[in-house]
Amino acid sequence: MKKILFALLAFLVSVNSALADTYRPGAAPFKFDATPGALSKFVVPTKSSAHFELDPYADRFSGTVTHAIDVRKATRQIRLHSADLDITKAMWGDTALTVAIDKDAQMITLTAPREISVGTHRIDIAFSGKITANGYGLYFARYKDASGADKRMLATQMEPIGAREMLPNFDEPAFRTVWDIAITTDEKYTALSNMPVAKTNVANGKRRTDFVSTPSMASYLLAIAVGEFEKTTDRFEDIELNIYTVATKHKNVVYAMDATKKVLAYFKDYFGSSYPLPKLDQIAVPGKRGAMENWGLITYSEDGLIVDPATASYTQRFWSFNVIAHEIAHQWFGNLVTMAWWDGLWLNESFAEWMAHKATAALNPDWNLTSKKAEAKARAMDADALSSASAIERTVTRDQNSSELFDSLTYQKGHAVLAMIERYAGESEWRDGLRDYMKKHSYSNATSADLWSSITGRTKASGRDVRAFANRWTQQPGFPLLDARVTCRAGKQELILQQSRFVLRAGYVPQLTWNLALLVSQPLAKDAAAQTVFVSLQPKVLPAGKCGEPVLVDVGGEGYYRVHYDAAMMKSLVANAASLSAADRLRLLSDSWALSEAGLARPQQTFAMIQALSADDAPDLWAEAINVYARLATLLKNGDAHSALRAHARRTLNLKFATLGWDSKPNENDTTKALRGDLIAALGRFGDAAVIAQSRSAFASIERGDSNYDGNVRTGALRALGANASVADIDRMAAMLANPQHVALQWPLMEAIASAASPVAATHALRLSLSDAIPRSIAQRMVGRVARNSGHDKLAAQFTNENLEQLFNRNSNYGRRYIIAAPLEQSRDLSLAKQIKALAEKHLDADARVETLRNVASVERNAWAYDAIRKNLAFLTR
């Protein structure tokens, strides 16, 4: 009977896989005419010259653009993108064009009175538009100068489809063109764009700045900044390097400049080609979150570039270095070679994320990034284990839906999968294939098929079909659960490996299989070297030493799958934990908890491993223990079990904290310092009175500016106080958020404010989402962070319902989908999910509800996990 069932399963998997392979984005090499999109392929821009009149303190801007176009088929109509712009004039040479606006499609149609013939033509358009504070398109950013005066600067965020909000253009990735940019503004301001300044002209208090022509590039890479900036300059070989900040903040960019030079050298060596532009500007934009890889003018949040190594936490230094590496990696992956259409976004983002971590690890050998990689992978798996999960490479029918792709699957899963593919292909073969890919497709577009063609050209000698191996990882959702069990005969052990799909949900989901290349070892064997084992649909059986000896699957813990050991294997591995690396023990702990949430293991197993930790164990293991406690607290929320968990966490975590204390020790490594901060935050959250009191004292010294604690302790103390904050505490933290002196603490302060357990304080925190007293990008995230950090999902939903119009007005149009979904962050309330879904159906178009549906699926997953765990928590009171 088992054989029949297995054969049926195999048949269903093969049928499902065949259907999944019917259409695959990126399956064919790049061809301009075959690329998806709304634009006609018969009208193609060759050069676009734009001039903007800009004032950071104005509500509107104006401009003109001249598009030199190649008409490949005679037509009377030209369609291009334009969103929320007023078109005041449109000309074809000396002939006026009529303008029809399609607001929903974000396009305009220019119609000529007679046919436009095949050949080269020129279209001139005059326009004006709004300048908002929403962080999208052309926007203004608020900040305060050293005297406390309110100031503004202008910046841009064009990806994915913001360029059409600044000028009418051909706003699709395949429509690369050369850009000539000119900006007129008051002469006291500095104007920046992608390329160096070509010339300037000053007249009547105004300065016009014309920039050198760009290389052929996609519109989403266009960038502008205008304001009163301070500049720090350096060079890398023949490349001019500039870091811009608003006034008084330039002193702490030395770390970022040093990182920039190191990263440029690393990528030049890795890619076998230099950074292709004559200058690289990087600018810290007040209130921005994240970064944007605009070619030649990268924009960052202030904490991405402004870092004081003497006081910054390990996490802050890692974030800065890694985000700089990520954005500079884009100068090759994304800018030099651009995805053909948004379904190939992973060719930009997954590669930049993977390359950034590779460079960060290589250039900071003293950093132990095991925990960072594990946490990033776990975030992706949380989303990928949902029944609603999407593939890394997924179909995009409308570019207005492309923002949905900027998620943990594209970034963190993509990074983990690329690391596996690199190991499968071979490190040197992989690198050489990427070099071939860059060389062949420079200043053009590419698809996944183009990438795999270049890689397989380098792996032919090994016989490894990288395309076949990779496609199942990039083009289907989810990830494997690898069942590992042993049998014993005549004193000899056999290991049996079999995969299925890991899903956190009851009911049917499509069963899929992946190509797995595993590292398997026997830690106690004389020859403990890991062997590579390939697993696909059929179970894999292999000898595994003597009966009872431990066998480890996925040595190093970097595979993107969960491993479910049978009871005998798990017992043996735990008993011989001393023979395993910290990375392997971390993998055991992480998988054990994930299996508990799936109902495949008891939580006692995970907590037995946590309680077996000694004070001498690696910080990575203690960091994962904190993660498990935090996750269980989120599921329990309140009640007797939650109180028991808090006490359990205090007892266990204090065993380690007692050996660390509040003050750094000589020669401590960064991961130990980071753990100290994490322990302070966790103990504060779980109600440790001594830690809360000391955190309150530490906060007062941070507020005064005379704290001697390192950045890790400062961040931990803020989180500890935040979880126990009063309304007055929230106000003090918000005041610090608005103070430029505390720019390095903006995001820790946001997380602290959003962590308030008190309903009164949490409601006060929610009101900050409507305030301009804190940076706009922080205000925009406050509702979701309160729901996630404090567990007050119902309060967040009520606040959103009551203030929806104001929240919409303070965000970009595409940001509205995140506003409605935000209250469901970390919720397990199925009735609340139903209410939020109804709200989305009322206020959002069908294709804008993806984020809400994802969060609804996450709520269902949390409810399922809670049911799987709640009946097995008696051990907390023992």
Side-chain angles (χ1 to χ4, degrees):
M1 185 64 180
K2 287 184 178 180
K3 290 182 178 180
I4 294 173
L5 290 174
F6 183 77
L8 178 59
L9 174 61
F11 171 75
L12 291 172
V13 168
S14 65
V15 170
N16 183 77
S17 298
L19 290 173
D21 289 345
T22 301
Y23 171 73
R24 295 183 303 184
F30 170 64
K31 289 183 179 179
F32 177 76
D33 291 341
T35 300
L39 293 171
S40 166
K41 303 300 192 294
F42 297 120
V43 179
V44 182
T46 57
K47 190 170 191 177
S48 298
S49 303
H51 173 236
F52 301 94
E53 304 240 5
L54 301 176
D55 178 354
Y57 294 88
D59 295 327
R60 296 186 65 82
F61 70 97
S62 62
T64 60
V65 62
T66 297
H67 292 296
I69 57 174
D70 178 20
V71 177
R72 303 166 66 192
K73 181 180 179 181
T75 182
R76 285 186 59 204
Q77 294 188 329
I78 296 172
R79 281 170 59 82
L80 62 164
H81 291 97
S82 177
D84 298 324
L85 295 174
D86 294 327
I87 309 301
T88 56
K89 187 178 182 180
M91 302 291 293
W92 163 40
D94 296 329
T95 303
L97 301 170
T98 60
V99 181
I101 299 173
D102 186 338
K103 186 175 182 180
D104 290 339
Q106 299 183 340
M107 300 192 79
I108 58 174
T109 300
L110 308 179
T111 303
R114 62 185 183 277
E115 197 168 67
I116 303 173
S117 63
V118 172
T120 301
H121 298 269
R122 191 183 82 183
I123 301 296
D124 298 291
I125 307 173
F127 56 90
S128 64
K130 298 176 183 178
I131 302 176
T132 72
N134 293 339
Y136 197 60
L138 174 68
Y139 67 95
F140 69 83
R142 296 184 179 90
Y143 66 97
K144 292 183 181 296
D145 66 11
S147 70
D150 291 327
K151 293 281 189 176
R152 281 164 57 156
M153 63 163 283
L154 297 178
T156 54
Q157 172 64 43
M158 303 305 196
E159 189 180 33
I161 55 171
R164 64 192 64 173
E165 296 189 11
M166 191 174 79
L167 79 166
N169 73 98
F170 298 83
D171 198 15
E172 291 177 3
F175 282 76
R176 298 176 73 113
T177 189
V178 173
W179 290 90
D180 281 346
I181 300 299
I183 299 170
T184 296
T185 189
D186 287 353
E187 62 179 311
K188 68 179 178 179
Y189 298 126
T190 298
L192 304 173
S193 191
N194 303 79
M195 297 297 286
V197 173
K199 61 181 180 179
T200 60
N201 181 57
V202 178
N204 302 319
K206 298 284 187 179
R207 177 188 289 110
R208 174 175 168 136
T209 304
D210 288 76
F211 298 90
V212 174
S213 298
T214 71
S216 175
M217 70 180 198
S219 54
Y220 77 85
L221 296 172
L222 191 61
I224 282 174
V226 174
E228 299 172 85
F229 305 133
E230 293 179 341
K231 179 174 75 169
T232 300
T233 299
D234 207 329
R235 298 195 73 82
F236 173 74
E237 297 179 344
D238 295 331
I239 304 163
E240 180 183 344
L241 305 178
N242 300 303
I243 293 181
Y244 291 90
T245 64
V246 294
T248 76
K249 296 182 180 180
H250 68 287
K251 297 178 182 178
N252 288 324
V253 299
V254 174
Y255 179 84
M257 185 66 83
D258 182 60
T260 298
K261 291 187 289 184
K262 289 178 179 177
V263 167
L264 283 169
Y266 182 87
F267 288 158
K268 178 186 177 182
D269 176 69
Y270 189 88
F271 293 127
S273 62
S274 297
Y275 171 78
L277 301 187
K279 64 96 172 173
L280 175 57
D281 291 346
Q282 299 176 99
I283 183 168
V285 180
K288 181 180 176 62
R289 183 55 179 164
M292 175 60 206
E293 66 266 19
N294 316 299
W295 215 354
L297 177 56
I298 305 174
T299 53
Y300 295 86
S301 61
E302 290 188 301
D303 59 349
L305 294 177
I306 301 170
V307 178
D308 180 359
T311 59
S313 69
Y314 167 56
T315 296
Q316 288 168 326
R317 285 181 288 119
F318 167 81
W319 153 252
S320 174
F321 199 102
N322 197 66
V323 74
I324 288 169
H326 179 106
E327 303 309 326
I328 293 178
H330 272 307
Q331 308 305 297
W332 284 265
F333 277 111
N335 300 5
L336 185 63
V337 182
T338 305
M339 72 219 163
W341 177 243
W342 293 107
D343 56 17
L345 180 68
W346 82 285
L347 291 171
N348 289 15
E349 298 300 344
S350 299
F351 272 91
E353 189 74 1
W354 164 76
M355 200 72 219
H357 281 265
K358 191 177 186 71
T360 300
L363 297 170
N364 298 277
D366 294 338
W367 289 358
N368 177 4
L369 301 183
T370 300
S371 181
K372 296 288 186 189
K373 288 190 289 186
E375 289 175 6
K377 184 173 67 174
R379 283 198 302 274
M381 284 181 161
D382 283 346
D384 214 13
L386 301 178
S387 58
S388 61
S390 301
I392 293 174
E393 192 170 14
R394 51 200 111 147
T395 301
V396 178
T397 55
R398 299 177 69 222
D399 58 10
Q400 293 178 55
N401 300 336
S402 56
S403 60
E404 310 292 355
L405 276 69
F406 293 82
D407 59 13
S408 61
L409 300 179
T410 297
Y411 286 78
Q412 283 77 38
K413 179 180 180 179
H415 162 215
V417 165
L418 286 173
M420 290 195 304
I421 299 172
E422 179 193 25
R423 288 195 299 272
Y424 176 77
E427 191 169 2
S428 61
E429 291 86 353
W430 176 254
R431 181 203 59 213
D432 292 344
L434 292 180
R435 289 178 176 179
D436 294 343
Y437 170 75
M438 290 288 169
K439 185 176 181 180
K440 183 175 181 179
H441 301 285
S442 290
Y443 303 104
S444 185
N445 298 77
T447 68
S448 298
D450 295 311
L451 172 68
W452 302 136
S453 177
S454 294
I455 300 296
T456 53
R458 292 288 183 167
T459 59
K460 286 181 180 178
S462 68
R464 294 191 174 182
D465 187 345
V466 174
R467 186 196 308 265
F469 180 86
N471 276 343
R472 291 199 179 278
W473 287 103
T474 63
Q475 295 183 347
Q476 61 185 26
F479 61 92
L481 172 65
L482 190 64
D483 279 297
R485 56 190 176 90
V486 291
T487 60
C488 181
R489 291 186 181 87
K492 293 184 178 181
Q493 193 169 237
E494 280 190 335
L495 172 64
I496 304 170
L497 299 171
Q498 184 175 346
Q499 64 165 299
S500 59
R501 183 177 176 183
F502 184 89
V503 181
L504 284 170
R505 157 179 189 170
Y508 171 77
V509 292
Q511 282 298 319
L512 304 169
T513 59
W514 292 260
N515 299 309
L516 299 173
L518 317 170
L519 287 176
V520 178
S521 76
Q522 297 163 239
L524 300 186
K526 292 181 180 179
D527 180 10
Q531 61 174 313
T532 300
V533 177
F534 298 98
V535 180
S536 55
L537 175 61
Q538 302 296 333
K540 189 80 171 185
V541 181
L542 59 153
K546 298 177 182 178
C547 292
E549 286 185 342
V551 181
L552 183 68
V553 177
D554 188 34
V555 176
E558 295 194 4
Y560 190 78
Y561 39 82
R562 295 292 186 188
V563 182
H564 185 197
Y565 294 100
D566 69 13
M569 293 184 73
M570 193 67 180
K571 181 178 180 180
S572 180
L573 284 167
V574 171
N576 292 280
S579 65
L580 305 180
S581 70
D584 291 325
R585 293 177 66 190
L586 176 59
R587 177 58 184 261
L588 281 177
L589 191 54
S590 176
D591 283 352
S592 177
W593 179 251
L595 292 167
S596 296
E597 289 200 25
L600 299 174
R602 290 178 175 269
Q604 292 94 316
Q605 174 179 278
T606 304
F607 280 90
M609 295 165 67
I610 290 174
Q611 289 183 288
L613 292 176
S614 74
D616 295 329
D617 275 321
D620 294 337
L621 297 172
W622 283 99
E624 183 61 17
I626 293 171
N627 291 338
V628 171
Y629 276 118
R631 174 61 178 158
L632 183 53
T634 297
L635 291 175
L636 296 179
K637 287 188 178 294
N638 47 47
D640 292 341
H642 187 262
S643 298
L645 173 69
R646 286 163 59 87
H648 196 283
R650 292 195 300 270
R651 289 194 303 271
T652 302
L653 299 181
N654 263 311
L655 295 174
K656 181 63 176 179
F657 187 60
T659 69
L660 294 181
W662 283 77
D663 298 314
S664 299
K665 311 296 190 297
N667 302 318
E668 262 185 350
N669 60 39
D670 283 308
T671 49
T672 298
K673 292 177 181 177
L675 177 63
R676 177 182 289 108
D678 292 342
L679 284 167
I680 290 169
L683 287 167
R685 173 181 181 175
F686 293 126
D688 187 288
V691 166
I692 294 169
Q694 186 67 22
S695 294
R696 187 169 291 281
S697 174
F699 172 66
S701 67
I702 296 167
E703 193 178 27
R704 292 192 305 268
D706 60 5
S707 174
N708 292 321
Y709 289 121
D710 74 12
N712 304 283
V713 171
R714 295 183 193 198
T715 299
L718 287 173
R719 292 294 300 273
L721 178 60
N724 300 276
S726 64
V727 169
D729 293 328
I730 297 292
D731 286 339
R732 291 167 65 190
M733 291 181 187
M736 289 179 68
L737 266 177
N739 188 338
Q741 176 185 346
H742 299 297
V743 62
L745 291 175
Q746 280 188 350
W747 296 98
L749 282 164
M750 179 195 73
E751 297 290 356
I753 289 170
S755 299
S758 159
V760 175
T763 300
H764 197 63
L766 287 167
R767 293 193 186 107
L768 290 173
S769 64
L770 303 177
S771 170
D772 285 328
I774 64 174
R776 177 65 65 95
S777 61
I778 291 178
Q780 289 171 336
R781 289 166 170 79
M782 189 59 71
V783 173
R785 288 298 177 178
V786 168
R788 171 182 287 271
N789 292 1
S790 72
H792 288 300
D793 49 356
K794 288 186 176 67
L795 281 179
Q798 179 182 346
F799 180 86
T800 297
N801 238 325
E802 293 172 352
N803 299 278
L804 190 60
E805 184 176 357
Q806 290 185 70
L807 291 169
F808 274 5
N809 290 337
R810 293 173 57 82
N811 282 264
S812 63
N813 287 335
Y814 87 87
R816 294 181 174 188
R817 63 196 68 192
Y818 302 105
I819 294 169
I820 288 181
L824 297 183
E825 293 281 346
Q826 296 293 357
S827 176
R828 59 172 171 81
D829 189 326
L830 294 174
S831 63
L832 186 65
K834 186 176 180 180
Q835 295 171 30
I836 294 296
K837 186 178 179 182
L839 192 67
E841 290 169 350
K842 181 178 179 181
H843 293 281
L844 299 176
D845 293 337
D847 57 8
R849 299 172 196 159
V850 173
E851 190 65 22
T852 297
L853 295 178
R854 283 178 182 166
N855 280 12
V856 168
S858 181
V859 171
E860 293 170 350
R861 183 271 310 276
N862 290 341
W864 167 259
Y866 174 69
D867 285 340
I869 287 171
R870 64 189 178 91
K871 298 174 183 177
N872 296 289
L873 296 176
F875 69 92
L876 290 174
T877 56
R878 291 172 189 160

